Amino acid sequence: MVTQPLDLRTLNRTLLDRQLLLERVTMGAEGTIRHLLGLQSQTPTSPYPGLWTRLAGFDFAELGELLSTRRAVRLVLMRSTVHLVTAADAIRLRHWIGPMLERSFRGSQFAKGVACVDRAALIAYGRALLRERPRTPGELRTELAARFPDADPASLVNALRSWMPLVQLPPRGVWGARGQPVYGLLEEWLGKPLIAPDPADLVRRYLAAFGPASPADMQKWSGLTGLRPVFADMDLRRYRAEDGRLLHDLPNAALADPSVPVPARFVTDFDNLLLSHADRTRIMPEEYRSRVMTVNGIVRGSILVDGFVAGTWRFDRAKGRAAVSVTHFTPLSAADRAALSAEGLRLLAAGDPGAAHDVTFTAA
């Protein structure tokens, strides 16, 4: 297939279109979570503004209902981070991601703490504990330490998270709820066994949400290696980015108009928009990376101006007050400031309807 050139703005607008950020859509929360192949949920509430900024009329209660009725779940998946995914995707993605989680654990600080433990014995005992009832990390540490006294208790819990399909049960992840994680067995919570997915189908779905992209991009999103042969065996359209990188796309997928205007957007913290490509310049100038992504793994919420990251934002809450605090990296025009102010006030009305609202701006 002929390789076609692809400029940065076309790449940017196409990514925003596939991420449902060019304009809000009427798709429901469950369908959106499926389309996006999940939303990172390292912070339990991050998916709420992540969905709100993409969906017309999104009600925060809708996501809480999906979690409570087991149609969506939160568990460790891509990049060894907690993701919110549909129930149907959970049993497929957890099977697919399993080898990466085990490899990641072997290279982690916790591996040494369980070196003296028989893997099968730990899995069997952990499964028995969680079949008896769900448990918090603290409860698991106590019970596992009693059974495996020579091992590090925190490492035992982290080993179980990597070696077994565990799910974080609601109300954790429900907007407004409090409390620490409570772990259960994914297959028992959903009443379904893990299923081996078709890797080519996952490539197609990744490209539908993040393409055009390369195997290295999908590896960055997933944490998995060995994707290049899967791409090579598929009938995909090829593009050449401005820097020479070869990108792949679905044969009939449309590219967005590079001149289409992009409204002001608040992108949530840990959003996969920023975490799913080896080269992030299609959405964020390289010089801003360290301001958005900290050395200790925090990914701040970001603002989009003309489709590119132009600053960060966060919620600031006090008694009876809720604010969106924006830190912009470049000067904002009066129109951009007004658009972000209006967008921020709408976000606060959706998430904190009973508080007094404000949007503040600070230059970095």
Side-chain angles (χ1 to χ4, degrees):
M1 190 173 291
V2 176
T3 303
Q4 302 176 36
L6 189 61
D7 65 89
L8 180 62
R9 288 186 69 86
T10 300
L11 198 55
N12 170 264
R13 270 30 180 189
T14 301
L15 174 62
L16 293 174
D17 184 37
R18 297 186 191 184
Q19 284 286 300
L20 313 180
L21 288 166
L22 278 187
E23 58 182 30
R24 284 185 167 90
V25 298
T26 57
M27 191 185 305
E30 186 174 7
T32 302
I33 296 167
R34 183 188 185 282
H35 168 74
L36 296 173
L37 273 166
L39 294 92
Q40 186 162 323
S41 187
Q42 204 75 4
T43 302
T45 54
S46 295
Y48 288 84
L51 290 169
W52 178 88
T53 204
R54 291 171 164 93
L55 300 180
F58 172 66
D59 186 336
F60 281 32
E62 182 183 356
L63 178 51
E65 179 71 12
L66 291 177
L67 288 165
S68 300
T69 57
R70 311 189 188 194
R71 292 159 61 193
V73 292
R74 298 177 60 254
L75 70 161
V76 175
L77 285 173
M78 286 74 75
R79 305 184 301 278
S80 298
T81 56
V82 179
H83 273 71
L84 167 77
V85 295
T86 66
D89 277 342
I91 59 176
R92 290 169 172 81
L93 291 173
R94 183 55 180 81
H95 186 288
W96 185 59
I97 289 293
M100 181 276 297
L101 295 179
E102 299 213 16
R103 185 184 72 246
S104 179
F105 179 78
R106 288 195 299 270
S108 75
Q109 60 181 319
F110 299 106
K112 185 177 179 180
V114 296
C116 60
V117 173
D118 179 78
R119 183 181 185 277
L122 175 57
I123 291 174
Y125 191 66
R127 181 175 289 113
L129 288 175
L130 293 172
R131 278 182 173 159
E132 183 179 280
R133 63 177 175 85
R135 282 171 163 81
T136 67
E139 291 170 331
L140 284 173
R141 284 194 296 271
T142 299
E143 306 226 32
L144 293 173
R147 175 64 177 80
F148 303 97
D150 295 330
D152 172 61
S155 298
L156 290 168
V157 175
N158 276 276
L160 283 185
R161 288 199 336 153
S162 300
W163 295 347
M164 296 174 59
L166 302 185
V167 60
Q168 291 192 20
L169 305 183
R172 182 77 168 177
V174 174
W175 186 261
R178 298 290 184 268
Q180 57 185 313
V182 176
Y183 289 117
L185 297 170
L186 174 65
E187 292 163 290
E188 294 204 354
W189 179 250
L190 297 180
K192 298 177 180 178
L194 298 189
I195 298 173
D198 175 10
D201 181 60
L202 293 177
V203 169
R204 284 188 285 268
R205 291 184 59 192
Y206 169 79
L207 292 174
F210 296 98
S214 68
D217 291 325
M218 191 172 178
Q219 178 178 328
K220 178 65 70 173
W221 166 76
S222 65
L224 280 172
T225 58
L227 293 168
R228 192 174 298 278
V230 183
F231 275 70
D233 286 343
M234 297 175 65
D235 178 23
L236 298 173
R237 180 176 294 177
R238 301 196 306 176
Y239 294 100
R240 187 71 65 180
E242 289 180 345
D243 63 1
R245 286 175 298 116
L246 181 64
L247 304 177
H248 304 265
D249 204 7
L250 300 173
N252 298 317
L255 299 177
D257 181 346
S259 66
V260 68
V262 179
R265 287 281 186 254
F266 286 95
V267 177
T268 194
D269 55 331
F270 296 102
D271 198 294
N272 278 336
L273 176 74
L274 304 184
L275 296 171
S276 302
H277 298 91
D279 181 274
R280 299 181 175 97
T281 56
R282 70 180 67 194
I283 192 68
M284 179 171 60
E286 183 61 32
E287 61 266 28
Y288 295 162
R289 183 196 291 232
S290 62
R291 302 191 196 185
V292 177
M293 301 175 175
T294 68
V295 293
N296 58 349
I298 301 298
V299 181
R300 298 185 173 104
S302 56
I303 59 169
L304 299 184
V305 174
D306 189 31
F308 291 89
V309 170
T312 60
W313 72 275
R314 68 176 188 272
F315 285 120
D316 282 331
R317 295 185 174 93
K319 189 175 182 179
R321 175 184 173 273
V324 166
S325 298
V326 175
T327 300
H328 51 95
F329 303 153
T330 59
L332 297 175
S333 69
D336 289 332
R337 185 181 290 258
L340 287 165
S341 293
E343 188 81 346
L345 291 173
R346 287 192 291 268
L347 175 56
L348 291 167
D352 296 87
H357 300 151
D358 192 19
V359 179
T360 65
F361 293 87
T362 303

